[in-house]
Amino acid sequence: MQHYSGFGLLKHSLSHHENWQRIWRNPTPKKKYDVIIVGGGGHGLATAYYLAKQFGVTNVAVIEKGYLGGGNTARNTTIVRSNYLWDEAAHLYEHSMKLWEGLSQDLNYNVMFSQRGCLNLGHTLQDMRDIERRVNANRLNGIDGEVLDAQQVKEIVPILDCSSDRRYPVMGASWQPRAGVARHDAVAWGFARGADAHGVDLIQQTEVVDFIIEDGTVVGVKTDRYGEIKADRVGCVVAGNSSVLAAKAGFELPLESHPLQALVSEPIKPILDTVVMSNHVHGYASQSDKGDLVIGAGIDGYTGYGQRGSYGTIEHTLQAIVEMFPIFSRVRMNRQWGGIVDTCPDACPIVSETPVKNLFFNCGWGTGGFKATPGSGNVFAASLAKGEMHELAKPFSMFRYHNGALVDEHGAAGVAH
Amino acid sequence: MLHIYCPHCCEYREEEEFHAKGQAHIVRPLDPDACTDQEWGEFMYFRKNPRGIHHELWVHAAGCRKFFNVTRNTQTYEIKEVYKVGEKPTIVAE
């Protein structure tokens, strides 16, 4: 793998940047792998990277039906934070946050991780009580957090309308300074490049159409382009399409796939240097380095796989944004899109064994999977390498819906799911 | 924007007036106390999530406030059929 550095940039400028190496190969798959990962999004690629780098399992293939990082990795609003209420979730997301903090160096690839802080606004007394409880829980778990009043919020974001006569006045917020944003595509590309350098085969434009299951044990997958490929273990990281693949393996998941929309405005001058989220009026916004406002909100109420959503939902989102930032009322929106998020009943992911031996699922991240990309990949890789679930993943077993040990993060995580 | 026919109001109305309430035809176990954890968990949380034909429960929340069933394609979002609770769908996934 070509090492990236300032010196390298200078050297390649002398040849007009025409001699850069391709950053990953396009191999033909082998007949058999130790581990096959289905789904080449951020989480899948991170899993492959950590499997090869940290756990020494290099005979790995990632099979992706489209192109790498082309699903929800390319469609999210890039927010990274770890201020979750419950211990189980907080530990998992904080594990991820710690990996984010060294990720660009680790990957030798600039993922543009910017710890610009994240505000979760409170608009009612109950909001503020929930915020205090969550911040206290965070601090007990070693996660940074502060409770701010409206005046302090106004100092951080002067353009936020904090006047008390609004329909939904800003009463305060929780503030996580280490939170921020990262460049979503770079995360997928950085993990892909790192995985490829450690010998992982990235197989694109190939759909896994079925599993090969013998005596309740998975022994490989069937693909549309290369037929059968054998594997000792299979990890499925296919977000919105998890239920479809689980059905092929003969079991159901407690997931429902919903469209989640996001939109970006035309680029404007720097005005918002942090992430602002509101659970109550339900919208969130940050400004990208290019200058466009990146805006997101809630899922559409119905299930769907169409990668588009309803106008009513966008209208709702923009009402919330304009309520919070009257200054944005005349900013024009440039693009709008939808992704398919796999939501769980308790708004926490499933990182789990399944009724089929050697088949593992990593799914159900719902509306907030991007922030977990490195952590999710890391614990899933550890689980796939050893054949048993990593300590941090154990509370997120799919069997928790049978024994009742749910991790209910609905609304507790600072944003409605 | 979906255009949904309410079988109670006998009119097409915009999606904004309705709420989707998830999978239809979920039968509550007759004797919940006799359920195993597995059966109860499946009744509570496990849902069909097909890419294609799906039967779902909707409520005309800002209209007559009555519930009804919709058969909808979750990929094209095309509504195939609308029928009242208690009725059987004529279009089902194969």
Side-chain angles (χ1 to χ4, degrees):
Chain A
M1 181 177 77
Q2 201 167 21
H3 186 80
Y4 291 160
S5 66
F7 176 72
L9 198 62
L10 189 69
K11 196 179 88 182
H12 279 281
S13 72
L14 298 175
S15 54
H16 305 282
H17 297 291
E18 284 174 355
N19 296 317
W20 289 99
Q21 255 179 25
R22 285 187 182 275
I23 67 173
W24 54 72
R25 299 162 295 133
N26 242 337
T28 310
K30 295 182 241 176
K31 289 276 168 241
K32 184 175 184 304
Y33 289 93
D34 292 347
V35 177
I36 285 179
I37 293 159
V38 185
H43 289 232
L45 293 166
T47 307
Y49 172 75
Y50 289 113
L51 259 176
K53 185 175 184 230
Q54 196 177 338
F55 303 100
V57 185
T58 54
N59 188 21
V60 175
V62 177
I63 302 178
E64 163 58 46
K65 76 170 172 182
Y67 55 94
L68 300 179
N72 292 346
T73 306
R75 293 162 193 271
N76 64 80
T77 48
T78 79
I79 298 165
V80 176
R81 59 188 175 85
S82 63
N83 52 353
Y84 280 69
L85 176 71
W86 300 108
D87 292 354
E88 297 87 345
H91 291 153
L92 184 59
Y93 287 102
E94 180 63 13
H95 178 60
S96 191
M97 177 65 91
K98 292 211 169 93
L99 289 170
W100 275 112
E101 287 176 326
L103 196 61
S104 290
Q105 290 299 322
D106 185 33
L107 293 174
N108 177 232
Y109 198 94
N110 188 2
V111 299
M112 295 165 76
F113 181 47
S114 159
Q115 291 179 296
R116 57 183 65 185
C118 176
L119 286 166
N120 292 105
L121 303 180
H123 300 267
T124 64
L125 270 178
Q126 187 58 47
D127 271 2
M128 291 314 295
R129 289 186 193 114
D130 290 343
I131 282 171
E132 275 176 42
R133 181 184 179 208
R134 179 163 48 78
V135 168
N136 284 334
N138 289 161
R139 294 173 78 128
L140 287 170
N141 277 322
I143 297 165
D144 59 326
E146 285 170 52
V147 180
L148 306 183
D149 62 26
Q151 190 55 41
Q152 291 166 305
V153 171
K154 184 88 184 162
E155 278 163 25
I156 292 173
V157 188
I159 57 166
L160 190 67
D161 185 354
C162 292
S163 43
S164 56
D165 60 349
R166 301 298 301 204
R167 173 73 180 80
Y168 302 105
V170 174
M171 299 179 76
S174 74
W175 170 238
Q176 187 184 20
R178 281 160 70 239
V181 291
R183 170 92 172 96
H184 48 71
D185 292 329
V187 177
W189 299 335
F191 276 123
R193 172 172 170 266
D196 180 82
H198 284 92
V200 173
D201 284 351
L202 308 174
I203 318 289
Q204 299 184 66
Q205 304 293 333
T206 305
E207 184 172 357
V208 169
V209 291
D210 208 348
F211 299 101
I212 312 165
I213 296 170
E214 292 170 3
D215 299 330
T217 306
V218 74
V219 293
V221 297
K222 286 184 191 148
T223 64
D224 58 350
R225 262 179 79 190
Y226 298 106
E228 295 189 354
I229 306 175
K230 294 281 167 71
D232 293 337
R233 290 185 185 130
V234 177
C236 273
V237 201
V238 294
N241 287 305
S242 298
S243 297
V244 177
L245 274 185
K248 292 195 193 300
F251 59 91
E252 275 188 3
L253 289 168
L255 294 176
E256 291 193 293
S257 297
H258 292 265
L260 173 65
Q261 300 178 83
L263 54 169
V264 291
S265 74
E266 59 190 341
I268 54 176
K269 287 190 173 176
I271 183 102
L272 184 62
D273 63 356
T274 185
V275 181
V276 178
M277 314 181 75
S278 169
N279 186 355
H280 198 84
V281 296
H282 212 173
Y284 43 91
S286 65
Q287 191 174 16
S288 76
D289 291 343
K290 201 170 71 183
D292 33 18
L293 299 168
V294 184
I295 294 167
I299 55 174
D300 279 41
Y302 51 80
T303 60
Y305 288 85
Q307 294 193 321
R308 62 188 186 278
S310 287
Y311 287 115
T313 311
I314 306 173
E315 197 176 3
H316 225 96
T317 307
L318 291 175
Q319 282 167 352
I321 295 297
V322 172
E323 170 81 15
M324 292 192 286
F325 303 101
I327 190 176
F328 292 159
S329 64
R330 289 163 69 194
V331 174
R332 283 165 299 186
M333 292 300 138
N334 238 358
R335 287 178 294 124
Q336 165 271 341
W337 63 91
I340 301 308
V341 297
D342 41 339
T343 56
C344 275
D346 57 355
C348 268
I350 290 171
V351 186
S352 174
E353 297 133 319
T354 66
V356 178
K357 195 159 180 285
N358 291 341
L359 177 63
F360 298 82
F361 265 71
N362 182 351
C363 57
W365 292 90
T367 60
F370 177 72
K371 65 174 85 67
T373 305
S376 153
N378 191 265
V379 299
F380 199 49
S383 312
L384 282 169
K386 294 187 184 115
E388 64 173 277
M389 298 318 292
H390 185 277
E391 215 43 53
L392 288 175
K394 276 184 186 161
F396 300 103
S397 161
M398 68 175 278
F399 302 108
R400 71 178 185 272
Y401 300 98
H402 290 144
N403 64 24
L406 272 60
V407 187
D408 189 3
E409 279 286 354
H410 263 292
V415 66
H417 286 265
Chain B
M1 177 78 74
L2 302 176
H3 221 197
I4 301 169
Y5 182 81
C6 172
H8 303 291
C9 302
C10 303
E11 271 186 42
Y12 280 95
R13 309 295 297 208
E14 288 188 352
E15 175 192 328
E16 283 276 271
E17 289 189 15
F18 300 87
H19 284 308
K21 304 302 267 184
Q23 185 186 329
H25 307 299
I26 298 172
V27 183
R28 185 181 165 87
L30 285 174
D31 185 4
D33 290 337
C35 282
T36 61
D37 286 355
Q38 171 115 9
E39 286 165 346
W40 187 249
E42 257 145 48
F43 162 68
M44 286 288 284
Y45 301 118
F46 286 70
R47 296 290 177 261
K48 298 214 179 321
N49 190 23
R51 187 168 61 194
I53 298 291
H54 192 31
H55 304 290
E56 12 180 59
L57 190 64
W58 284 71
V59 58
H60 195 177
C64 64
R65 296 161 69 192
K66 286 181 186 155
F67 287 79
F68 57 95
N69 295 323
V70 171
T71 305
R72 193 173 59 91
N73 185 315
T74 59
Q75 201 156 25
T76 62
Y77 298 170
E78 184 199 353
I79 293 171
K80 300 275 189 191
E81 186 181 17
V82 170
Y83 55 102
K84 289 180 184 166
V85 173
E87 292 176 357
K88 290 251 184 312
T90 58
I91 300 164
V92 290
E94 55 316 322

